[in-house]
Amino acid sequence: MVARGVMHSSSLIHLDLRSTAFRKEGADCLFEALEENETVNCLQIGNLKGLNRNMLGGKGIAGIEKYLKTTSILTFLNLNNAGIGHEGLSYLLKGLKACTSVRVLDIGLNSLETKSSSLVLEIMLKTRIKRLNLGNNQLGNGFVVVFHQCVKDIHFTLTHLSLSACGFACSGLEFLFGALKRGTTLEHLELDGLKCDDDSFKKLAQFISAAMLKSFSSANSMFGDKGIGVVSEGFANNYSLEVINFSGNRISNKGAITLCKNFLQMKSKRLKSINLSHNLIEVLRIVAD
């Protein structure tokens, strides 16, 4: 019934079918119907948090390959928590490489692991995606090493990237920051759930100092006073940041004072928002020198 309505609609723009108990048969019918539709530019068929009803799996989204090869309308595709895995990602990639319209892709929380690195990197480097969410996939250090190698001689053109909670160990962060420097168009970066050691904090500070980011997030990363003090030194030389998120860390008054003093020295005059919620900060007063 939904597929028939989609096929014949001449006004439908946004189709949200998250957490609706879809299976392969229903997905096949939907993708076939979408091939006939000329208006839908936003499609969401993953799962809402805590409501894992759409059990598509890899074979369940096989039909998306043909649909993506035919559409010139779709710009936003959300497959978050759809369980597509490595197999489903291969179908998705084949479709995206032929698609000229999709700019926003959410494939977070899809059981993607290190073996999917080459497919993920093809999406990053060989499609027209500008905004990409890869969060909550255990890509690990194997991914960042390959990422670093792939972008040595090229630039990637993403504007928004989320690599939150992707299982990167401290030893892989130097490769990660080195690769991210090649993103000359990158404006918004999420690295929530990041685990750093002393050397990694220094590398992160160096990256932030040179990056042309508008927003940076490293929430829920267990940053303490020492770590945030080192990282915030990178802000002083940054010219572009507007939004910073360090919520859910372990920053106390001491770290907050260091952080704010470094904010006061920022070369960027664009800073609009700082999120330090869910830390260990009491009421404090900071006086500029």
Side-chain angles (χ1 to χ4, degrees):
M1 185 64 69
V2 171
R4 188 179 303 139
V6 168
M7 183 185 298
H8 295 292
S9 173
S10 60
S11 60
L12 187 64
I13 296 174
H14 181 184
L15 182 59
D16 189 342
L17 294 169
R18 289 174 294 175
S19 300
T20 51
F22 257 105
R23 298 294 186 271
K24 182 181 186 306
E25 183 179 357
D28 287 343
C29 292
L30 174 65
F31 293 134
E32 288 177 10
L34 284 167
E35 289 175 35
E36 305 297 323
N37 179 276
E38 298 181 352
T39 59
V40 172
N41 62 26
C42 175
L43 176 62
Q44 303 194 76
I45 51 174
N47 282 299
L48 298 165
K49 187 176 181 179
L51 293 172
N52 297 343
R53 294 172 181 166
N54 285 351
M55 304 302 291
L56 298 176
K59 290 183 171 59
I61 69 158
I64 205 169
E65 178 185 342
K66 185 179 178 184
Y67 163 52
L68 289 174
K69 288 179 176 179
T70 60
T71 183
S72 60
I73 302 296
L74 189 71
T75 59
F76 183 104
L77 178 59
N78 181 356
L79 292 167
N80 190 289
N81 195 19
I84 66 173
H86 184 78
E87 181 182 14
L89 188 64
S90 65
Y91 293 121
L92 178 63
L93 173 61
K94 291 174 185 175
L96 286 172
K97 288 172 78 171
C99 182
T100 60
S101 59
V102 176
R103 295 292 184 271
V104 182
L105 176 65
D106 187 342
I107 48 173
L109 196 61
N110 265 296
S111 302
L112 304 178
E113 299 177 345
T114 300
K115 70 176 183 178
S116 299
S117 295
S118 61
L119 300 182
V120 170
L121 287 167
E122 283 200 69
I123 289 177
M124 294 177 68
L125 304 175
K126 296 183 179 181
T127 71
R128 302 197 181 195
I129 301 298
K130 296 298 182 184
R131 300 185 179 199
L132 178 62
N133 179 17
L134 293 166
N136 295 287
N137 288 298
Q138 293 301 302
L139 297 170
N141 279 6
F143 167 78
V144 294
V145 171
V146 177
F147 183 21
H148 185 264
Q149 292 172 343
C150 284
V151 298
K152 275 186 176 180
D153 300 314
I154 62 173
H155 296 280
F156 62 94
T157 57
L158 295 171
T159 59
H160 296 63
L161 177 62
S162 174
L163 288 168
S164 296
C166 282
F168 304 138
C170 295
S171 57
L173 295 182
E174 182 175 359
F175 293 103
L176 176 62
F177 300 140
L180 290 172
K181 288 179 182 177
R182 304 296 293 175
T184 54
T185 58
L186 190 62
E187 297 180 345
H188 307 275
L189 178 64
E190 292 182 9
L191 292 175
D192 298 346
L194 197 63
K195 301 296 183 289
C196 289
D197 57 14
D198 289 348
D199 188 56
S200 301
F201 283 126
K202 293 177 183 177
K203 293 291 192 300
L204 178 55
Q206 291 168 3
F207 167 71
I208 291 174
S209 176
M212 294 303 293
L213 297 173
K214 290 184 179 179
S215 70
F216 175 77
S217 177
S218 192
N220 303 311
S221 295
M222 298 180 68
F223 286 11
D225 292 338
K226 181 178 179 181
I228 202 64
V230 174
V231 172
S232 66
E233 290 176 4
F235 295 130
N237 293 317
N238 184 282
Y239 285 88
S240 57
L241 276 167
E242 299 176 7
V243 178
I244 298 170
N245 180 14
F246 283 116
S247 64
N249 282 286
R250 297 181 175 179
I251 304 167
S252 72
N253 279 28
K254 181 179 178 181
I257 290 171
T258 303
L259 182 64
C260 291
K261 285 183 177 179
N262 284 326
F263 283 154
L264 292 171
Q265 297 175 27
M266 282 182 71
K267 292 180 179 178
S268 172
K269 304 304 179 184
R270 304 178 182 178
L271 190 62
K272 300 174 183 177
S273 174
I274 303 172
N275 186 349
L276 293 173
S277 62
H278 298 283
N279 276 284
L280 305 174
I281 303 168
E282 300 173 8
V283 177
L284 63 142
R285 182 186 177 195
I286 301 171
V287 180
D289 293 334

Coordinates of all heavy atoms in Angstrom, one line a residue, residues 2 5 10 25 46 49 83 88 90 93 96 102 108 118 174 179 190 194 198 215 233 240 260 278 289:
V2 N 1.9 1.3 0.9 CA 2.8 2.4 0.9 C 3.5 2.6 -0.4 O 3.6 3.7 -1.0 CB 3.9 2.3 2.0 CG1 4.9 3.3 1.9 CG2 3.2 2.3 3.4
G5 N 1.3 4.1 -3.0 CA 1.1 5.5 -2.8 C 2.3 6.3 -3.2 O 2.1 7.4 -3.8
S10 N 2.6 12.8 -6.7 CA 3.2 13.9 -7.4 C 3.7 15.0 -6.6 O 4.1 16.1 -7.1 CB 2.3 14.4 -8.6 OG 1.1 14.9 -8.0
E25 N 11.1 -8.1 1.5 CA 10.1 -8.0 0.5 C 9.5 -6.6 0.4 O 9.2 -6.1 -0.7 CB 8.9 -9.0 0.8 CG 7.8 -9.1 -0.2 CD 6.7 -10.1 0.2 OE1 6.9 -10.8 1.2 OE2 5.7 -10.1 -0.6
G46 N 16.0 3.6 8.1 CA 16.8 2.9 9.2 C 15.9 2.7 10.4 O 14.7 2.4 10.3
K49 N 16.4 5.2 17.6 CA 17.2 4.6 18.7 C 16.2 3.9 19.6 O 15.2 4.4 20.1 CB 17.8 5.8 19.5 CG 18.7 5.3 20.6 CD 19.4 6.4 21.3 CE 20.4 5.9 22.4 NZ 21.1 7.0 23.1
G83 N 21.2 -2.1 9.9 CA 21.8 -3.5 9.8 C 22.3 -3.9 8.5 O 22.3 -5.1 8.2
G88 N 25.5 -5.2 2.5 CA 24.6 -4.1 2.1 C 25.4 -2.8 1.6 O 24.9 -2.1 0.7
S90 N 28.1 -2.8 0.0 CA 28.5 -3.0 -1.4 C 27.4 -2.6 -2.4 O 27.7 -2.0 -3.4 CB 29.0 -4.5 -1.6 OG 27.9 -5.4 -1.5
L93 N 27.2 1.2 -2.3 CA 28.3 1.9 -3.0 C 28.1 1.9 -4.6 O 28.3 2.9 -5.2 CB 29.6 1.2 -2.7 CG 30.8 1.7 -3.5 CD1 31.1 3.2 -3.2 CD2 32.0 0.9 -3.1
L96 N 25.5 4.5 -5.4 CA 26.0 5.8 -5.2 C 27.0 6.3 -6.2 O 27.1 7.5 -6.6 CB 26.6 5.9 -3.8 CG 25.6 5.9 -2.6 CD1 26.4 5.9 -1.3 CD2 24.8 7.2 -2.6
V102 N 22.6 12.4 -4.6 CA 22.7 12.3 -3.2 C 23.9 13.0 -2.6 O 25.0 12.8 -3.0 CB 22.7 10.8 -2.8 CG1 22.9 10.6 -1.2 CG2 21.5 10.0 -3.2
G108 N 25.5 5.4 10.0 CA 25.9 5.1 11.3 C 25.3 3.9 11.9 O 24.2 3.5 11.5
S118 N 37.7 -0.3 2.6 CA 37.8 0.1 1.2 C 36.5 0.6 0.6 O 36.5 1.5 -0.1 CB 38.3 -1.1 0.4 OG 37.4 -2.2 0.4
E174 N 47.2 9.5 15.1 CA 48.1 10.3 14.3 C 47.8 10.1 12.8 O 47.8 11.1 12.0 CB 49.6 9.9 14.5 CG 50.6 10.7 13.7 CD 52.0 10.3 14.1 OE1 52.3 9.5 14.9 OE2 52.9 11.0 13.4
A179 N 45.2 12.3 7.9 CA 44.3 12.1 6.8 C 43.3 13.3 6.8 O 42.9 13.8 5.7 CB 43.6 10.8 6.9
E190 N 32.8 15.6 13.8 CA 32.4 14.9 15.1 C 33.3 13.8 15.4 O 33.4 12.8 14.6 CB 31.0 14.4 15.0 CG 29.9 15.5 14.9 CD 28.5 15.0 14.9 OE1 28.3 13.8 15.2 OE2 27.6 15.8 14.7
L194 N 36.1 9.8 21.7 CA 37.5 9.6 21.3 C 38.3 9.3 22.6 O 38.1 9.8 23.6 CB 38.0 11.0 20.7 CG 39.3 10.9 19.9 CD1 39.1 10.1 18.7 CD2 39.7 12.4 19.6
D198 N 48.5 11.1 26.1 CA 49.2 12.5 26.1 C 49.6 12.9 24.7 O 49.4 14.0 24.3 CB 50.4 12.4 27.0 CG 50.0 12.4 28.5 OD1 48.8 12.6 28.8 OD2 50.8 12.1 29.4
S215 N 32.8 23.8 13.1 CA 32.4 23.2 14.3 C 33.2 21.9 14.6 O 33.6 21.2 13.7 CB 30.9 22.8 14.2 OG 30.6 21.8 13.3
E233 N 44.9 24.5 23.6 CA 46.0 25.3 23.1 C 45.9 25.5 21.6 O 46.3 26.5 21.0 CB 47.3 24.7 23.5 CG 47.6 24.9 24.9 CD 48.9 24.2 25.3 OE1 49.6 23.7 24.4 OE2 49.3 24.1 26.5
S240 N 38.7 29.9 12.5 CA 37.4 29.6 11.9 C 36.3 29.1 12.8 O 35.1 29.1 12.4 CB 37.6 28.7 10.7 OG 38.2 27.5 11.1
C260 N 38.9 28.3 29.0 CA 38.4 29.6 28.7 C 39.5 30.7 28.5 O 39.3 31.6 27.7 CB 37.5 30.1 29.9 SG 36.0 29.1 30.0
H278 N 27.3 18.5 31.3 CA 27.7 17.2 31.9 C 29.2 17.0 32.1 O 29.7 15.9 31.8 CB 27.1 16.1 30.9 CG 25.6 16.1 30.7 ND1 24.8 15.6 31.7 CD2 24.9 16.6 29.8 CE1 23.5 15.8 31.3 NE2 23.5 16.4 30.1
D289 N 43.0 38.6 31.4 CA 44.2 39.3 31.8 C 44.3 40.6 31.1 O 43.8 40.8 30.0 CB 45.4 38.5 31.4 CG 45.6 37.2 32.3 OD1 45.0 37.2 33.4 OD2 46.2 36.2 31.8

